[in-house]
Every structure is written in C-alpha cells, then in structure tokens.
Amino acid sequence: MKVWQPGRIGSLEVDHRLIVGSMHLNLEGRDDHGAALAAFYAERARGGAALIVTGGIAINRVGAGGRMYSLIGEASHQPALARAVAAAHDGGAKIAAQLFHAGRYAFESAFGLTPLAPSAVFSNFSRCMPEPMSAEQIDETLEDFGRAAEAAAGLGFDAIEVMASEGYLLNQFLSPLTNQRDDHWGGDPSRRRNFGLAVLRMIKDATDLPVIFRISGADLMPGSSSHDEIADYATALARAGVDAINVGVGWHEARVPTVQTLVPQGVWVPYAEMIKDALQNADVEVPVIASNRVNHVDHAERILAGGKIDFVSMARPFLADPAIVAKSRAGRHDLVNTCIACNEACIDRSIGDAEVSCLVNPRAGRELDVPEPPAGSGPAGRFAVIGGGPAGLEAARSLASLGHQVVLYEAEPELGGQFRMARQVPGKRDFGETIRYFTAQLAELGVDIRLDHVITDGDAAELRGFDGVIIATGVHPRVIDLPGSDRPNVISYHQAFAEVSAIGDRVAIVGGGGIAVDLAHLLLDGADDHLESRSRAFRAEWGVDQEPVLPESKRAVTLMRRTGKIGAGMGLTTRWAVVGTVRHHGATMITDLSYRKITEQGLIISTADGDQLVEADTVIIAAGQEPNDELTKIISELGVPYRVIGGAADTAGLNAVRATSQGLQAAHELSAAFRG
C-alpha cells in the first residue's frame, strides 16, 4: 500500500504518508508546563504517527487566535513547547511547528490588542475592524516569522508549517477581498503574493528546517482569489524553495461548509490535485498534501494511489483514535475508532477557550486526567452496564480497559442507542462506524454483551452480585398533551426513523431541535451515501464551482418550534450548515407559534397571523426527550455502588459529547472506589 511507503519533505524523512494535521487544542495555554499537550502528542506518536503538525503557534501576541495559544517568542511558553517536542520524539514521531498569525481573525479580547491586517476590512468571524498594517508593522511581522522559525529550530522541531490558509493573515494578503493596498504588498495578484514569499524567505534565512506552506485551494468566498491565482501562488512558493504544499480550503466567513459531517468525504481533494497539476506544468517537483474530510485510512490510500497526491493530512481522525496508524497497519480496521465529524468537542471548542476533546473518544486531550493503566494493574471487579447507547458503550469500554469484568445489558437487538437513527441521516453514515467500533472493541476486551435483555425487578438478585452498576438507559421521546396526538397519522420521531418509507409526502414535524432537523434532512434528501453522487450533489447545492442548484424533493416538510431558532442547541459550527441544507431542500420552517390540535388534514397552529392549517399526511412528534430512569429506584435499593449517566440522568442540554464523557468518568470513579 502506498500509504505505508516512506516519504520525504525536503531533508525530512517520514515513515509513511499520513500526517497528523494541525489542531488547536486549547491545551497550549494550560498552566501545567506543557504536561497535557505533551501527553496528547506522546499518545499519537506511540500509536504510529510519523509526522505531527502542532496547532497554530502564534509568532506574536497580536497574531494569536486567542488567549490559549502558544506564543513561541515568549520565554515562558518555550519550555512547554520543548516538552511537546520531546514527547513526540520519545514516541517515535517527527513534529513540525505551525507558525501562525490570525490577522483580522484575531479576537481583540484575547490580549486587548487591535488585530492587524493588510487592510481595514471588517471580520464577521472575530467581529472586529482590524488596523491596516503600516510598512513598519509588516517588516516587524516578517522579522517575527524569522525569529519564530529560529526559535522552533532551537526547541528541536523537525520542520515548520506556515499557516497561509483558512482566511488567516497570509491568506488575507493574497485575497483581493481583504488586501486593498496599492503598494509593494498589494494592488494586483503578483504583488499580493509578495508577503507570503517574504515570509518564506525570512524562515529560510533563519533555519535549515524543511518548510511546508498550508495554502487555500479555494477560499469559497465570492470575489476572492481565482484558481489560476492560487496555482500561480503555489508555483511561486515552490520556485522560492518551499519543501511541501499542504492544501486547505475555505474561510471561517465562507457560507459553504467544509468539515462538517454533511460534507462528503474527500470532496476537497481535487483542489490539491489542481495544485499538483500546476506544479508539474511549471516543471517544479514539490510534494503536495491533501487534507480536509478524509476520515479513513483506506480512503487516504485511494487518494494516494491516484498518483497526484504525495501525503494525506488527517487531523480529527487522530483525536478519535490515537492508534489509528498502528491498528490500520496491523490490519485491525475493525478496532479503529472513526471520527464522525460532529465538530462538537473539537472545532466548536477550539473557537473559544474550552479544551478540545472528542465525542467518540472522550479521553482525547485528557490523557493525564484519566489515564488507563494496563489490565492487571489492580484487582479486577465485576461491573454491570445497563444500556448500549454512546454513554453505556464508553462506560463498558473504559471499565474493561481498566481491567475489570463487564456485563453490558442492552434491551434492543443491536448496540448503538440513538446512533442507530443518526447513521441513517445523509452524511452521517460514520455514526454507524462508532457502533461497529464499540462492538468490536468490547468483544476484544472480553465484555459480555447481552442483547435483547430488558432489565426488570427479576434481575435484582443478579445485579446485587456486581461490584458496581452504571445505568445508561437513555431517553424516551417526550409525549405531548395535544388534542389529536393519538390519531393514526401521528408518530414519534423514533417510529419515524424506523419506518421512513411509510411516511407520507406531506410531513409536519412538531419540534425544531437537532433530532427534528436530522429527520427533516433524511426525509428530504434520502440516504444515498454513494460518495461520488453525494459529492456532485453537495458541490451543486452549495455553489462550489457555479451558481447553487437547489435540489428537488418529493416530500413537503414543515419544521415547527414554539420559541427560539430551528436547530437551537446544535453545535456552533454545525447548526448553520445543516439547517441551511434542509432549507435548500425546500423545508418550511415556522417558529413563535402555539399548537392547537392535530386533525386528519394535518396540524392546526396559531401564530401572530392567526390560526392556520399545516397540511400533512404524517405528523411527527420530535418535541424533546424524557429520562428513561425507571431502573434507578431498583438499583438504588440493591446496596451496590452505581452511577446514572447520559439521558437517563438528565435530558436538559443533553448531547452525545456529555454522554460519552460521563461514561468515561463514571467508569473511572467506580473503578477507583473499588480499588480503594
């Protein structure tokens, strides 16, 4: 397989063609002398990573993306960075420092500094008006890049990556949208390239380390750099001595989703291939790295086998599974914990100050806080986990990883809980991969899985024999008190996911939360997961290469919510994209209403304009959830230590991130209590 062939970036030799892409973790600013950051990198290095690219390391304070960024030019930050380098090296990996300047994407509140940019163009991302850089400030910034490169070499980094993509400072200099200068640094495409080329020269003058530039293959911003201008930029960088080009995509302000689960995997690879074609046409040989929405090693292999791409950068898949390389090389793809691109614990948190983790791997970023010692490191207990949804699956995995005997009881014939519904939604097929992973991992760990087993009073004697019990029985759909809700044309969201083909052509959904939006997406878009067809549909729907083409749907779907926005409660970087998709597919969305009654013709609602009938063949109730906590009383009377987690504990603000994190925590708490 080409993915496992050694590769070279300048003078740097790497063991294989998978790169751990840059991820800002918000561990960088943690007051622990770099311990958590080092532990994070060490675990990925031990798991087989060949080259790790750090999260953005700010070259100065005004260029920091937030207060939790590393500042390579400040002595107080350098020991933590050196510790991270040593941890990667000790684990057998190389590590590159990503030098970073946010430009107009810096948040003024981070250090109280007005952001700097090529021109005074308001940022809808950081909600600020930057100060246009003077000639002196440009020179100072270039010198800071040089000093940062020199510091990186001194700290032991093996390479440097320059962040020149995703709308940050170097990308701002390249784009006519944000560079409105008419001097050496702007005015036409050739002069707009000068800043990036000057940064490369400063770094090359300061160090012999290989230099990677992460550039934007497409800004996805109307009126920004053209494909030809981007190709010319890549060619100019290659001729100036860059050692590799990593191709990113999109700005934070772009109204095209780039990394959310609804984005087809590999849809952005053609932009990296375009860069490779341009370099070859210019007779320049420089490795090209493809990135964004590549979640599977076998997919990376197909990309590399195409012959145009030299390396594949996978970031969040290394959050989901730090040993993705080792497992894949050993042929144990069944044990790979797959990134589901939910964004909830990673990208959503990285925009603020919260420490990054992972929904399907809540230990990510918490390797020091919740270590998992090898089995046999203490006396083994016998524990029961009741419920095989995300919370229960993680609890069972954690207990077994800690060396305990575990019995997992699941009332349904398959594990997965509400992930069984989620995997049906367009783009969410990888939620089924989470079920596949836990099924295989629990079997590998020797967990006794008992499907179709509903716990009742009759199980009390058996449960009393355990050293601890975790209740993860999930939720029930909320039943609403609405006249007509018992009619035959009314079903719950749970029934709707189970009987999609039986749902009529006119659908009214009572509720506008995440489940309701996902259900509308499924009803309007179907479940065609063929990668090529979904990629074509995505590009057309979002106008990636042309004017948007709105899709047609055979169904008419109306989403309703009494108060608040449709999709409220969904993830920060996901809601707008998914709601936008549902709207593109023709969904009607109504808020600020009250429900009157359900009739044979549909649902009567009352708005500021009076009563109206929402015609519907099927009315679906997706108006929230209630804890399925009936077992709590039974378990509490057994005299056995227990924990209640996930939806069974509380549905207020419930999401799968909280559920899996509680599963991890409950397992460690019960284990610690058992072992004293």
Side-chain angles (χ1 to χ4, degrees):
M1 293 178 66
K2 187 169 183 178
V3 70
W4 305 130
Q5 294 177 6
R8 178 182 288 273
I9 296 174
S11 60
L12 182 67
E13 294 184 3
V14 290
D15 183 48
H16 55 74
R17 301 302 180 104
L18 294 181
I19 295 173
V20 182
S22 175
M23 292 178 283
H24 177 62
L25 303 169
N26 278 334
L27 299 175
E28 292 86 350
R30 194 176 187 180
D31 186 20
D32 65 352
H33 308 290
L37 187 65
F40 178 87
Y41 289 142
E43 193 154 315
R44 275 81 197 154
R46 291 193 299 268
L51 175 61
I52 299 170
V53 181
T54 69
I57 301 174
I59 63 162
N60 55 33
R61 288 203 166 207
V62 75
R67 68 181 185 88
M68 299 298 285
Y69 275 67
S70 293
L71 300 167
I72 196 167
E74 299 193 9
S76 60
H77 286 241
Q78 291 178 352
L81 291 171
R83 188 171 185 174
V85 171
H89 288 166
D90 290 346
K94 307 291 177 57
I95 185 166
Q98 188 189 77
L99 302 187
F100 176 92
H101 193 301
R104 61 194 279 275
Y105 278 177
F107 289 91
E108 189 169 3
S109 58
F111 294 108
L113 302 172
T114 301
L116 299 177
S119 303
V121 178
F122 184 78
S123 165
N124 287 316
F125 174 66
S126 56
R127 311 301 300 175
C128 75
M129 177 65 77
E131 175 187 332
M133 297 172 76
S134 66
E136 291 76 15
Q137 287 170 324
I138 289 175
D139 288 340
E140 290 171 2
T141 302
L142 291 171
E143 290 171 1
D144 284 341
F145 269 104
R147 283 189 286 266
E150 187 176 9
L155 291 169
F157 283 99
D158 302 289
I160 287 169
E161 179 173 274
V162 177
M163 171 47 92
S165 182
E166 273 85 358
Y168 293 110
L169 181 67
L170 274 74
N171 207 169
Q172 293 162 27
F173 266 98
L174 190 66
S175 172
L177 295 178
T178 45
N179 186 344
Q180 299 173 359
R181 307 174 73 95
D182 190 19
D183 58 7
H184 178 70
W185 307 107
D188 57 51
S190 177
R191 284 182 284 169
R192 289 196 295 270
R193 292 196 291 269
N194 283 337
F195 186 78
L197 292 170
V199 168
L200 177 59
R201 284 194 299 272
M202 293 296 294
I203 294 172
K204 285 287 188 179
D205 287 345
T207 177
D208 293 329
L209 292 180
V211 181
I212 305 166
F213 254 63
R214 180 172 173 86
I215 71 170
S216 177
D219 294 339
L220 304 179
M221 296 283 291
S224 196
S225 302
S226 68
H227 292 332
D228 288 343
E229 290 169 359
I230 293 169
D232 289 344
Y233 184 46
T235 302
L237 288 168
R239 286 175 171 158
V242 80
D243 295 289
I245 294 177
N246 187 359
V247 183
V249 68
W251 287 16
H252 292 306
E253 294 162 289
R255 302 313 294 170
V256 178
T258 57
V259 293
Q260 293 84 345
T261 188
L262 62 85
V263 179
Q265 295 188 33
V267 72
W268 308 120
V269 172
Y271 291 105
E273 294 175 336
M274 176 196 75
I275 297 297
K276 188 67 172 183
D277 286 341
L279 296 177
Q280 290 178 337
N281 290 337
D283 199 26
V284 182
E285 282 296 327
V286 170
V288 170
I289 305 166
S291 67
N292 293 88
R293 288 299 283 134
V294 181
N295 284 10
H296 301 266
V297 171
D298 59 350
H299 188 193
E301 170 63 22
R302 293 197 301 273
I303 293 168
L304 292 164
K308 290 187 176 181
I309 301 301
D310 301 284
F311 295 87
V312 174
S313 173
M314 298 169 65
R316 293 175 297 170
F318 283 91
L319 271 177
D321 197 328
I324 184 174
V325 170
K327 293 175 182 178
S328 298
R329 293 188 92 157
R332 295 305 308 268
H333 300 282
D334 58 324
L335 296 181
V336 172
N337 196 359
T338 300
C339 167
I340 60 175
C342 67
N343 289 9
E344 293 182 36
C346 51
I347 294 176
D348 286 358
R349 291 183 179 181
S350 72
I351 293 172
D353 293 338
E355 293 177 355
V356 163
S357 188
C358 178
L359 186 158
V360 299
N361 174 23
R363 280 194 68 247
R366 301 166 65 189
E367 290 79 9
L368 287 182
D369 301 333
V370 281
E372 291 189 352
S377 58
R382 190 166 178 266
F383 292 87
V385 177
I386 306 173
L393 291 171
E394 176 56 31
R397 185 210 64 80
S398 296
L399 283 167
S401 294
L402 290 166
H404 300 293
Q405 298 176 30
V406 181
V407 179
L408 172 61
Y409 299 94
E410 167 54 44
E412 298 292 333
E414 183 187 11
L415 299 174
Q418 296 206 143
F419 271 32
R420 297 197 306 271
M421 294 186 294
R423 68 184 174 188
Q424 298 175 242
V425 178
K428 285 192 169 183
R429 182 173 61 180
D430 276 349
F431 280 62
E433 288 290 283
T434 301
I435 300 173
R436 182 268 311 150
Y437 159 73
F438 275 110
T439 301
Q441 184 67 65
L442 296 183
E444 186 81 2
L445 291 169
V447 174
D448 181 1
I449 300 174
R450 302 183 186 180
L451 301 175
D452 288 316
H453 192 127
V454 178
I455 296 293
T456 66
D457 290 348
D459 295 291
E462 180 179 348
L463 293 173
R464 193 174 285 115
F466 288 98
D467 296 301
V469 177
I470 293 178
I471 303 171
T473 43
V475 299
H476 294 304
R478 178 176 294 148
V479 177
I480 62 172
D481 183 14
L482 179 64
S485 59
D486 58 349
R487 295 185 59 85
N489 61 334
V490 182
I491 60 176
S492 71
Y493 71 80
H494 195 275
Q495 293 172 293
F497 275 104
E499 304 166 9
V500 173
S501 61
I503 295 173
D505 290 341
R506 299 175 303 168
V507 182
I509 301 178
V510 176
I515 290 176
V517 172
D518 273 352
L519 182 56
H521 192 185
L522 173 61
L523 295 175
L524 290 165
D525 193 20
D528 177 14
D529 271 315
H530 185 268
L531 193 57
E532 185 176 344
S533 61
R534 290 211 66 82
S535 294
R536 285 198 303 268
F538 173 84
R539 296 167 77 88
E541 179 181 340
W542 290 93
V544 172
D545 298 315
Q546 57 197 6
E547 287 297 312
V549 178
L550 298 183
E552 296 182 0
S553 174
K554 72 171 186 176
R555 283 193 174 99
V557 175
T558 302
L559 280 163
M560 290 162 285
R561 187 168 192 145
R562 287 182 299 175
T563 59
K565 296 180 179 179
I566 297 294
M570 297 177 72
L572 173 66
T573 59
T574 299
R575 176 193 168 274
W576 70 270
V578 179
V579 171
T581 292
V582 172
R583 185 176 286 114
H584 287 172
H585 280 270
T588 299
M589 301 181 187
I590 306 174
T591 60
D592 298 321
L593 58 89
S594 58
Y595 303 109
R596 311 298 285 179
K597 65 179 178 178
I598 300 172
T599 70
E600 183 179 358
Q601 290 74 36
L603 174 64
I604 297 175
I605 61 174
S606 180
T607 68
D609 298 324
D611 288 358
Q612 67 181 82
L613 171 67
V614 178
E615 295 182 350
D617 306 306
T618 306
V619 177
I620 302 172
I621 309 301
Q625 304 159 321
E626 299 290 347
N628 179 5
D629 58 359
E630 290 84 355
L631 290 178
T632 302
K633 184 176 186 299
I634 297 174
I635 305 301
S636 66
E637 294 174 350
L638 297 179
V640 174
Y642 73 96
R643 296 288 188 278
V644 185
I645 62 173
D650 186 10
T651 58
L654 176 67
N655 59 37
V657 171
R658 192 181 82 189
T660 57
S661 180
Q662 288 179 348
L664 174 71
Q665 181 177 345
H668 278 259
E669 288 176 355
L670 287 178
S671 177
F674 171 77
R675 288 174 172 163

